[in-house]
Amino acid sequence: MARCRATTGLSLVAALAFGSFSETAFAESKRCELAPREMFGQEGKRGISAEDLVNLTDFGDLGVSPSSYAFELQPGGAFLAVRARRAIVGDDSYCTAIALVPLDSKNRTKVIDDGGDIAPATGDIYGIADIPVGGPKAALLRWSPSGGSLAYTKIAGTRSEIWIYELASASSHLLLSSAVDIEALSWSPDGTAVLFSSRPGKIEALASIEAEGHQGYHYDGRFWPLSGDRPFVSSDIPSIDQAIDVQNSAGRAVRPDDVSALHPSASRPAGSIRFAESNDGSRLAWTTRESDSVSGETALKVKVEKQDIACGWDVCSNIAAMWWSDDGNHLLYQRYTGIGDNRTEFFIWSPGNGKPRRFLSTIDAVFGCRPWQQQLVCAQETSTKPRRIIAVSPSDGRRRTLFDPNPWFDKLSSGSVRRLEWSNEFNISTFGDLVLPPSPRERKRLPLVIVQYDSRGFLRGGTGDEYPIQAMAAQGFAVLSFNRPMWYGSLHKPKDQIELLKASINGWADRRSNLSSLKVIIDKLVNEGLVDANRVAITGLSDGASTATFALSNSTLFSAAILSTCCEAPSTLALAGEALHDFYVEIGYPTSFAANPGFWREGSLMDAPRARPVPMLIQASSGEYRMALTTYRELKGRGWPIEMFVYPDEGHVKVHPAHRLAIYRRNIAWLQKQLSP
């Protein structure tokens, strides 16, 4: 995305994007009560239901990568701020909350405001802006340098807002209302202004597209036919940095130190991947690639008082995140290790004084960390417990809970979880988690459901959250949460992402690797006497759906399938538009069916000559169901037992609470019917 940094006050175009500044407006969205009383007092243990999973209170980004944004830590460390959300299925909405969590555990969490509307996220891809992605659009929270004020974003209908909460007066006021998304948020170093980035040029671009329609649109790379019948705006529209004085709500010039505050990555060493700077700026740490390959090892480099110090131990590689301690004397960092990087380790190191010391090693997802006093504050998910915030002690690795928005969940009975590790025929290793019913089972083989394709953190519903793992286990299924192996192209030491994808797609090598991994683990579970080889279902969204359809095209492992997106086929490239078509051709897909029929006979379910008909359920979004139509019609015409449901107003990841619960319930009921003995 192009970026333009304004050096003057608000431009005319930018000013047109904003409503009037107001200090008296009040949010009108539904405010959450955290850990609502009606969820306590459930007597006795019972299995987890689909309703329990939908009713969880969530906060932060959907992912569990080290950089996933979950909370904002106050300077000085008295509070952290979170934006929480919880589904209200009855009226297909959400309640939200901006909450302050005390770090000393002596006070109670305080909800200071609602968190605005939950809007589906959009993204920039293939040169097009605002493609419907689905899932909740992220909120931004930023403390002022003094810690006395909190700036945060809200969605209110079609507008994006910036609000300010003042600790001293315990009050919030609206600072800005914008017709375009607020994409970055910070404070000026002196705390007198709120800084933000947005793309007000989208307003003019949308008006131009509207006018163009009077003469007919020229069909080109601006179209995303899956989600609309008109062009989208370009992702090259520049982002404008702007500043608002918090005392008078007036725009002011953006200063050089404002730019550094709003875009701290701009000052990082060239080629750095991870970066950390001490509070006083005297100590730097960063990682770089040791080779030209995007899949190569990384090295840790440190500069202390202008002196370069190398970290040459093995434990200094594969670093995912790092931070300097408050006093700047120690570097703390997080790295991945183990089969498929399934284990997370934390280290503390005093550069120049011996080897880094490991203080925590876990298969739990611990992420989004921030240093606080002599500890790390992090978000955490375990395989059986949803997200919470913890403090980790570097002295002994001990963890304690600071914030748990779902204490009632501990009253429920989870299925047992067993971490599995194995290698496929290509000698690529991966892992998964086998979840068995919570009640003691009879000595009989269980039906198995494969859920894809990331098995880190809380085992809720797989990627896209449509397959309720624990709820399915409670109904008597064995469920394998399958973590896809690394991309096959990584073995070829690719120089960039395009090379990696080309090597992965050549001969469908990556899909063959995934299928091999699935076959190895299914055979293992069958040989252990745990599962019934004749009652195995595969499910998937996106990459997981592609793995599922390839498996159905090239094996007889599965007796049923549920897809959240569908399907790899020659028509898919046309339906997705010119930009996506060109990208797929660049990474190795043929330009048409006629150009390489053999390619599609292996990779497209509707063209696969040896595919065995099995019951299939497609649960598609309104933004993507068109991709499924040719495959659906072809398979239905051949007599496959196939049905499809389309969920309105949804993108890639579905967000409506009513839809999420309906999908959970339908998937469970359908699997019970198809996999019954």
Side-chain angles (χ1 to χ4, degrees):
M1 180 182 71
R3 180 170 298 283
C4 173
R5 296 196 173 103
T7 56
T8 60
L10 297 179
S11 67
L12 175 61
V13 174
L16 292 175
F18 306 138
S20 59
F21 298 132
S22 170
E23 297 185 357
T24 58
F26 295 92
E28 296 180 353
S29 299
K30 299 172 185 175
R31 182 185 295 203
C32 282
E33 178 187 354
L34 296 181
R37 285 187 296 273
E38 65 268 18
M39 291 185 176
F40 290 97
Q42 301 178 50
E43 297 181 1
K45 285 276 189 179
R46 61 170 177 80
I48 295 170
S49 69
E51 290 77 9
D52 293 324
L53 295 172
V54 169
N55 283 330
L56 287 171
T57 298
D58 298 305
F59 62 93
D61 295 345
L62 291 181
V64 295
S65 70
S67 60
S68 291
Y69 183 67
F71 60 86
E72 188 70 10
L73 189 63
Q74 181 194 31
F79 297 97
L80 57 83
V82 298
R83 192 255 206 160
R85 62 187 181 274
R86 186 172 64 251
I88 304 174
V89 176
D91 56 6
D92 195 27
S93 66
Y94 286 84
C95 69
T96 58
I98 304 295
L100 300 185
V101 179
L103 294 173
D104 60 8
S105 71
K106 295 178 181 178
N107 298 303
R108 300 183 65 178
T109 296
K110 178 182 179 182
V111 175
I112 61 171
D113 197 358
D114 70 84
D117 299 337
I118 295 295
T122 59
D124 294 0
I125 190 169
Y126 311 122
I128 306 171
D130 296 336
I131 296 297
V133 175
K137 186 174 291 186
L140 304 174
L141 302 95
R142 299 290 185 267
W143 288 99
S144 63
S146 68
S149 302
L150 176 71
Y152 52 96
T153 60
K154 288 188 189 185
I155 301 297
T158 61
R159 302 187 71 81
S160 185
E161 300 176 340
I162 298 176
W163 286 70
I164 303 290
Y165 176 78
E166 304 288 354
L167 274 177
S169 62
S171 62
S172 296
H173 65 269
L174 177 66
L175 182 70
L176 172 75
S177 178
S178 169
V180 293
D181 283 347
I182 305 299
E183 299 179 348
L185 183 69
S186 189
W187 287 79
S188 62
D190 62 8
T192 63
V194 167
L195 315 172
F196 68 98
S197 294
S198 65
R199 288 186 276 180
K202 286 182 178 180
I203 296 173
E204 185 177 339
L206 287 169
S208 177
I209 289 172
E210 182 69 24
E212 181 187 351
H214 297 306
Q215 304 298 320
Y217 297 121
H218 180 256
Y219 184 74
D220 52 27
R222 300 172 298 160
F223 275 82
W224 189 259
L226 295 174
S227 301
D229 57 3
R230 61 176 58 201
F232 282 70
V233 300
S234 170
S235 60
D236 288 333
I237 292 175
S239 181
I240 307 297
D241 297 344
Q242 299 178 65
I244 304 176
D245 189 295
V246 294
Q247 293 300 317
N248 57 24
S249 298
R252 69 153 174 80
V254 175
R255 303 163 183 164
D257 58 349
D258 292 337
V259 175
S260 298
L262 191 56
H263 308 288
S265 61
S267 59
R268 295 179 179 180
S272 63
I273 302 169
R274 309 296 179 201
F275 176 76
E277 182 177 9
S278 62
N279 290 334
D280 63 3
S282 66
R283 299 186 174 214
L284 307 177
W286 68 97
T287 62
T288 59
R289 295 280 180 203
E290 291 193 292
S291 69
D292 293 336
S293 172
V294 294
S295 59
E297 290 289 325
T298 60
L300 172 60
K301 299 181 179 181
V302 172
K303 186 182 289 292
V304 177
E305 303 290 351
K306 299 183 179 180
Q307 177 187 358
D308 291 333
I309 300 175
C311 188
W313 292 276
D314 290 343
V315 296
C316 299
S317 65
N318 212 16
I319 291 175
M322 52 189 173
W323 318 265
W324 288 99
S325 59
D326 287 345
D327 59 13
N329 291 329
H330 298 91
L331 181 70
L332 299 98
Y333 64 85
Q334 175 181 3
R335 68 186 296 266
Y336 287 135
T337 187
I339 298 295
D341 287 342
N342 80 109
R343 182 166 289 275
T344 300
E345 297 182 332
F346 287 83
F347 287 80
I348 184 169
W349 182 41
S350 178
N353 292 304
K355 183 179 179 179
R357 175 177 61 82
R358 185 178 67 191
F359 61 88
L360 178 63
S361 178
T362 180
I363 62 171
D364 298 335
V366 181
F367 56 97
C369 301
R370 300 287 186 274
W372 170 60
Q373 296 179 0
Q374 302 303 314
Q375 303 175 74
L376 280 178
V377 176
C378 309
Q380 174 182 277
E381 295 181 14
T382 73
S383 60
T384 58
K385 303 297 181 187
R387 185 172 301 185
R388 61 187 64 187
I389 297 175
I390 62 168
V392 184
S393 170
S395 63
D396 57 10
R398 185 172 300 174
R399 291 176 269 182
R400 65 183 179 91
T401 298
L402 298 174
F403 174 61
D404 179 6
N406 300 290
W408 57 272
F409 197 80
D410 290 341
K411 295 177 177 290
L412 305 179
S413 180
S414 299
S416 63
V417 180
R418 172 182 158 202
R419 173 59 56 92
L420 303 171
E421 301 173 350
W422 70 96
S423 298
N424 65 20
E425 64 180 285
F426 301 97
N427 202 31
I428 298 176
S429 299
T430 192
F431 66 95
D433 292 289
L434 179 66
V435 184
L436 297 177
S439 302
R441 67 184 184 90
E442 302 175 18
R443 296 295 298 175
K444 63 179 182 180
R445 294 177 181 268
L446 298 172
L448 175 66
V449 180
I450 306 293
V451 175
Q452 301 183 77
Y453 52 91
D454 187 344
S455 197
R456 293 178 173 87
F458 178 51
L459 302 180
R460 185 171 185 168
T463 300
D465 188 21
E466 297 197 15
Y467 305 97
I469 292 172
Q470 285 287 351
M472 291 192 292
Q475 295 300 316
F477 295 99
V479 184
L480 177 67
S481 177
F482 172 69
N483 199 88
R484 70 140 25 244
M486 72 175 188
W487 283 82
Y488 179 87
S490 299
L491 298 176
H492 295 264
K493 302 187 183 307
K495 289 184 171 58
D496 55 34
Q497 198 71 13
I498 296 298
E499 280 194 10
L500 183 149
L501 292 173
K502 281 183 176 179
S504 297
I505 288 162
N506 185 30
W508 294 102
D510 185 70
R511 296 299 167 204
R512 294 186 190 283
S513 173
N514 287 357
L515 177 55
S516 175
S517 293
L518 287 168
K519 184 178 187 307
V520 168
I521 194 60
I522 291 171
D523 287 347
K524 173 181 171 60
L525 297 177
V526 170
N527 291 337
E528 287 184 7
L530 285 173
V531 303
D532 183 347
N534 296 315
R535 293 189 292 156
V536 181
I538 189 167
T539 69
L541 165 81
S542 194
D543 183 77
S546 295
T547 291
T549 54
F550 185 85
L552 294 172
S553 301
N554 294 277
S555 78
T556 57
L557 285 173
F558 303 102
S559 53
I562 307 178
L563 305 178
S564 303
T565 47
C566 171
C567 292
E568 293 266 15
S571 59
T572 302
L573 302 188
L575 288 167
E578 297 285 275
L580 182 61
H581 174 274
D582 292 347
F583 172 77
Y584 268 68
V585 169
E586 182 182 8
I587 62 176
Y589 278 65
T591 56
S592 66
F593 180 85
N596 190 347
F599 178 89
W600 292 111
R601 290 189 181 112
E602 288 187 283
S604 167
L605 184 57
M606 63 177 283
D607 297 301
R610 296 183 300 275
R612 181 185 68 172
V614 299
M616 182 180 295
L617 171 64
I618 302 172
Q619 304 240 60
S621 70
S622 57
E624 294 184 338
Y625 80 97
R626 294 172 184 84
M627 286 194 300
L629 293 179
T630 52
T631 299
Y632 170 82
R633 174 45 54 197
E634 179 66 23
L635 297 184
K636 192 175 182 68
R638 294 183 200 168
W640 282 50
I642 183 172
E643 56 184 328
M644 178 165 63
F645 291 83
V646 180
Y647 294 86
D649 190 34
E650 296 283 16
H652 192 57
V653 176
K654 302 173 186 74
V655 69
H656 281 264
H659 295 164
R660 290 174 54 212
L661 183 57
I663 289 167
Y664 274 178
R665 287 172 169 170
R666 180 170 288 122
N667 284 341
I668 292 174
W670 190 87
L671 288 167
Q672 287 174 323
K673 177 182 177 181
Q674 303 301 333
L675 299 184
S676 60

